[in-house]
Amino acid sequence: MTNPQELLHARYGEIPFQLEKNAISWNQSVTALLSHRSIRSYLPNPLPDGTLELMISSAQSAATSSNLQTWSVVAVEDKERKEELSKLAGNQAHIRQCPLFLVWLADLARLAYVAESRGFSHDGLEYLEMFVMATIDATLAAQNAVVAAESFGLGTVYIGGIRNRPEEVAAILNLPPSVFAVFGLCVGYPNPEVETAIKPRLPQSAVLHRETYNLAVQAEALSHYDEIMKAFYQQQKMNVPGDWSEHSAKRIATSESLSGRNRLREALNNLGFELR
């Protein structure tokens, strides 16, 4: 799918706006971004040599706050290690199935080492700001890697379940103190026998605010989106009762719905993050 109107319709469940004759030009980069979809079924084919390295080069080309580069990534290809991580992340089969599983890290250990090696203290690392910075850095880097992977014809899916049991993940990956696994990423060739559609997103009226934030527009936008998502769930034969709003509300209704992540602050403290 490369037609701009088709891609926009797939991404929003409708044509959200018309590109006027003198509007900015559509290009291949926008086509690639709007074509993104999460892949949860992979072929066993190994990745070509250099794939991982080019993905990491792309990741390292992302913006990073003050050039501190407070992220790292662990590439996991070992079958047994992927099996262990899969169990900790909700027993997701695609973690075991993909040829490459990347665990993206908020990494403050490297800066601590740099400071100590130069005779400086590193009290600043104990504050919440630095953890937020490291999480943002890791996220920006990972998304660049995803764009690169998709340009190679590969599929990906993020794994938030890697945060379900952080201390055990840290033990499996031999993470030092002040390093936290933010999320995982499956990478591999999509299984062509399993069709995966582009999932519609919220209307731009829900997420795009001009000059100031406007909560009042949410009701109409969400109601419209719920209808689009109900149709999408039915079309894709997804077992999702109700609409997007109901599904999302249930996802945050109780601490139990967080699948263990309700104790994240405790886990971070255990992993060496003060979070002052």
Side-chain angles (χ1 to χ4, degrees), residues 119-138:
F120 289 93
S121 66
H122 45 75
D123 293 346
L125 295 181
E126 298 178 0
Y127 288 84
L128 178 61
E129 159 63 13
M130 292 304 301
F131 175 73
V132 172
M133 178 192 296
T135 302
I136 294 171
D137 269 7

Side-chain angles (χ1 to χ4, degrees), residues 233-254:
Y233 295 149
Q234 293 173 359
Q235 179 187 22
Q236 297 299 310
K237 299 179 180 179
M238 297 173 67
N239 185 25
V240 180
D243 52 28
W244 180 85
S245 290
E246 180 178 348
H247 172 70
S248 300
K250 288 179 179 178
R251 179 67 176 78
I252 60 172
T254 66

Side-chain angles (χ1 to χ4, degrees), residues 46-68:
L47 305 185
D49 291 344
T51 301
L52 173 60
E53 291 78 8
L54 283 175
M55 286 179 62
I56 300 307
S57 294
S58 300
Q60 289 187 281
S61 298
T64 171
S65 183
S66 301
N67 199 34
L68 292 177

Side-chain angles (χ1 to χ4, degrees), residues 61-249:
S61 298
T64 171
S65 183
S66 301
N67 199 34
L68 292 177
Q69 304 175 71
T70 52
W71 66 274
S72 291
V73 61
V74 176
V76 180
E77 297 174 294
D78 179 76
K79 183 177 180 180
E80 293 183 0
R81 186 167 284 110
K82 285 190 294 181
E83 175 73 30
E84 290 182 275
L85 292 171
S86 172
K87 291 178 181 177
L88 295 179
N91 201 33
Q92 299 183 58
H94 32 283
I95 298 176
R96 301 188 297 271
Q97 191 182 62
C98 66
L100 174 64
F101 186 62
L102 299 176
V103 183
W104 297 87
L105 310 171
D107 183 357
L108 299 182
R110 182 167 50 245
L111 279 183
Y113 170 80
V114 168
E116 291 170 4
S117 68
R118 295 301 177 97
F120 289 93
S121 66
H122 45 75
D123 293 346
L125 295 181
E126 298 178 0
Y127 288 84
L128 178 61
E129 159 63 13
M130 292 304 301
F131 175 73
V132 172
M133 178 192 296
T135 302
I136 294 171
D137 269 7
T139 304
L140 293 174
Q143 187 59 24
N144 261 28
V146 165
V147 173
E150 291 178 342
S151 76
F152 301 144
L154 300 171
T156 65
V157 64
Y158 284 104
I159 305 296
I162 210 72
R163 298 189 300 277
N164 290 359
R165 294 155 73 176
E167 294 97 334
E168 293 172 76
V169 169
I172 290 173
L173 299 179
N174 194 32
L175 303 184
S178 300
V179 177
F180 171 68
V182 183
F183 46 75
L185 182 72
C186 296
V187 183
Y189 288 103
N191 182 351
E193 296 182 1
V194 179
E195 293 187 14
T196 305
I198 295 173
K199 185 177 292 184
R201 296 293 197 242
L202 285 163
Q204 289 195 7
S205 59
V207 302
L208 173 60
H209 303 266
R210 297 183 184 273
E211 308 301 339
T212 60
Y213 190 96
N214 184 1
L215 187 60
V217 302
Q218 296 293 321
E220 181 179 352
L222 291 174
S223 177
H224 184 58
Y225 184 60
D226 282 336
E227 293 303 314
I228 289 174
M229 287 306 295
K230 280 197 293 186
F232 179 81
Y233 295 149
Q234 293 173 359
Q235 179 187 22
Q236 297 299 310
K237 299 179 180 179
M238 297 173 67
N239 185 25
V240 180
D243 52 28
W244 180 85
S245 290
E246 180 178 348
H247 172 70
S248 300

